[in-house]
Amino acid sequence: MLIQDLWYKNAVVYCVNVERFVDANGDGIGDFEGLMRRLDYLAGLGVTCLWILPFYPSPRRDDGYDVADYYGVDPRYGTAGDFVELMHQAREHGMRVIVDLVINHTSIQHPWFRDARANPKSKYRDWYVWSKKRPRGWNKGMVFPPVQTSTWSYDPVARHYYFHRFFDFQPDLDTASPEVRTEIKRIMGYWLELGVSGFRVDAVPFVISTKGPDVKPRHDFGFLREMREFLQWRQGDAVLFAEANVPPNADLDYFGDRDDRMHMMFNFVVNQNVFYALASGDTRPLVRALERTRQHPMTAQWGHFLRNNDELDLGRLTDAQRQLVFETFAPDKKAQLYGRGIRRRLAPMLDGDRRRMELAYSLMFTLPGTPVIRYGDEIGMGDNLALPDRQAFRTPMQWSAEPHGGFSAAKRTVLPVIDDEVFGYRRVNAADQRRDPDSFLNWIERIVRMRKEVPEIGWGDWQVLGTGSPHVLAIRYEWRGNAVVAVHNVDAKPHTIRPGAKLVNLLSDDHSDGHKITIEGYGYRWYRVGGLGETLSGERA
Ligand code: GLC
Ligand code: CA
């Protein structure tokens, strides 16, 4: 292993929504100025890479995933100058920045679409996907059922139907068109020049699938290579981080078996099985999911997460497994979404139970890949099911016990800050947790620090060890002659395992001579095999 500088192999990614983070100018809407003021906080947490959700000018009918200008900053959040200033300050804090690349579709308000629909001769007409007659599959393939009811809608101005994989206000770009592809690269080139370290690429399977009336479904993986090539010529260390919720046998199509497509992908299969393990106490399906997603090329990496900015999608579990996760974490139908997911944050799903929250994050931080956390996770924020759809878990960050949780000094905020008895800002906020050494925030800070001191997880080969118990998962990582073992008991009862080697506990004083370890209910351990001296011998340069 010669290449050391694949920074993303051991990054700590923090996903932030500028609009919902901090409002500095008091208009009720989060902004870049506010985010900048919190960079010290994020650096203190140990974040090494910020992933900024869409901040481009947009009608925001899908929280900015309906872009109306790819080359700008929504004036509600600040200016292009603020963005550049943020990039500068993030670099000063040792943080990289990646941004969302939402190029499967535009907003219906995008000037390209407005021109395309109004003028059949417009050069933008061919940038979208049209049909004179209503195509046969017009009511198939929706991503957001039952809110979304079709994938083809009639446009009375163009007097044609247009294709939209997502909502009807998100017309699909014809991503097979050479002109559209050139424009996509122009967009990437633009943000790269402004200093980003790569892109979270939205909805990748749809970007590369054939689009048009009555077409046969096919994926053009060549386009992923085209994007990678462009990116790497422009900036060698930038990455493409794909949102592609695909079955494991398609992983290599997306990574490219010659290290030539996506650098990173979110591991949705493992994510769903983590929740199944937490719900059932059985880690065996999770082990299978890890094994099935094991193979990936040298420069590729998985991104692991617990919750993201979307519903917890359980579509890849069996019906019985999904049912169990629903019953355990979202028995109230109101908490379920699109027939496949849960619209909640993690802490309330686990009843705010600190042991289980630690177990879940400790497990996530030791999965083979790079951890991704989401704003508010670090203080155990809750959700508000009175808000529609995915807004339930997209509420503003809770900074303090001040009005609106210190998010904003305005009378009204863009979305109400959670103010209930259990997870409201008076009880759950960053300021109080900072002062309390035993808070969840400080625990997260410690576990992030530990994750950084265990590069074996991001780089190493791994192996699931037999523990003799379906409730206890033990993974051993090896890299450059060093080995680390992470053990997690997802059951409420204690279990005993026999590791057969001398283990040094990295999180507490309770070491093991290798004969047996009893792990309490929901317990977790990070061990170094052999002596602690080995920690230093394999350090990164
Ligand atoms: C992705 C995003 C989601 C968005 C959709 C349409 O799935 O994660 O939030 O609604 O794409 O862009
Ligand atoms: Ca503001």
Side-chain angles (χ1 to χ4, degrees), residues 62 65 105 144 166 200 202 243 310 390 394:
D62 183 15
Y65 284 92
H105 45 265
F144 301 127
F166 296 89
R200 181 265 189 188
D202 189 56
E243 181 208 22
D310 291 311
R390 290 171 290 170
R394 293 177 176 178

Side-chain angles (χ1 to χ4, degrees), residues 121-332:
K121 297 225 160 57
S122 157
K123 79 163 194 166
Y124 297 113
R125 186 77 162 202
D126 290 342
W127 286 30
Y128 293 89
V129 186
W130 305 97
S131 173
K132 202 160 165 53
K133 290 197 309 228
R134 189 166 80 181
R136 257 179 287 146
W138 67 277
N139 57 357
K140 301 224 161 64
M142 283 80 72
V143 177
F144 301 127
V147 192
Q148 178 194 0
T149 51
S150 69
T151 48
W152 287 90
S153 290
Y154 187 68
D155 178 34
V157 183
R159 301 218 256 125
H160 274 69
Y161 289 83
Y162 64 94
F163 176 65
H164 52 89
R165 172 61 68 186
F166 296 89
F167 292 116
D168 60 2
F169 53 81
Q170 291 166 316
D172 267 53
L173 283 164
D174 180 4
T175 37
S177 141
E179 278 184 49
V180 169
R181 289 187 174 190
T182 302
E183 188 67 25
I184 290 172
K185 289 171 205 152
R186 210 190 313 279
I187 296 165
M188 290 168 57
Y190 179 84
W191 295 102
L192 286 171
E193 286 301 317
L194 291 188
V196 304
S197 290
F199 302 92
R200 181 265 189 188
V201 192
D202 189 56
V204 173
F206 300 122
V207 171
I208 59 170
S209 67
T210 38
K211 304 178 183 187
D214 309 316
V215 293
K216 282 210 194 74
R218 208 175 48 77
H219 287 122
D220 177 5
F221 293 103
F223 185 44
L224 300 184
R225 191 194 148 95
E226 238 180 282
M227 288 171 74
R228 169 81 171 246
E229 229 164 38
F230 175 82
L231 181 88
Q232 304 245 266
W233 278 110
R234 284 288 163 98
Q235 191 180 313
D237 65 351
V239 297
L240 295 167
F241 193 164
E243 181 208 22
N245 184 348
V246 295
N249 61 12
D251 292 343
L252 274 189
D253 292 334
Y254 286 83
F255 282 133
D257 53 14
R258 294 182 204 163
D259 281 321
D260 58 351
R261 294 174 191 166
M262 301 286 108
H263 300 77
M264 295 188 76
M265 289 210 275
F266 290 96
N267 197 324
F268 284 96
V269 176
V270 163
N271 174 259
Q272 305 185 14
N273 280 284
V274 164
F275 278 90
Y276 178 73
L278 294 172
S280 67
D282 183 356
T283 65
R284 286 169 299 183
L286 172 59
V287 170
R288 281 196 291 277
L290 286 165
E291 293 293 354
R292 288 169 68 211
T293 56
R294 170 188 283 280
Q295 203 196 355
H296 57 73
M298 207 278 285
T299 64
Q301 178 76 320
W302 285 113
H304 287 294
F305 59 102
L306 286 169
R307 290 291 294 107
N308 62 14
N309 196 48
D310 291 311
E311 76 284 359
L312 166 60
D313 187 336
L314 303 170
R316 299 207 174 275
L317 298 180
T318 66
D319 290 346
Q321 290 173 332
R322 187 179 321 109
Q323 225 28 60
L324 182 81
V325 180
F326 274 144
E327 276 160 29
T328 314
F329 295 134
D332 183 353

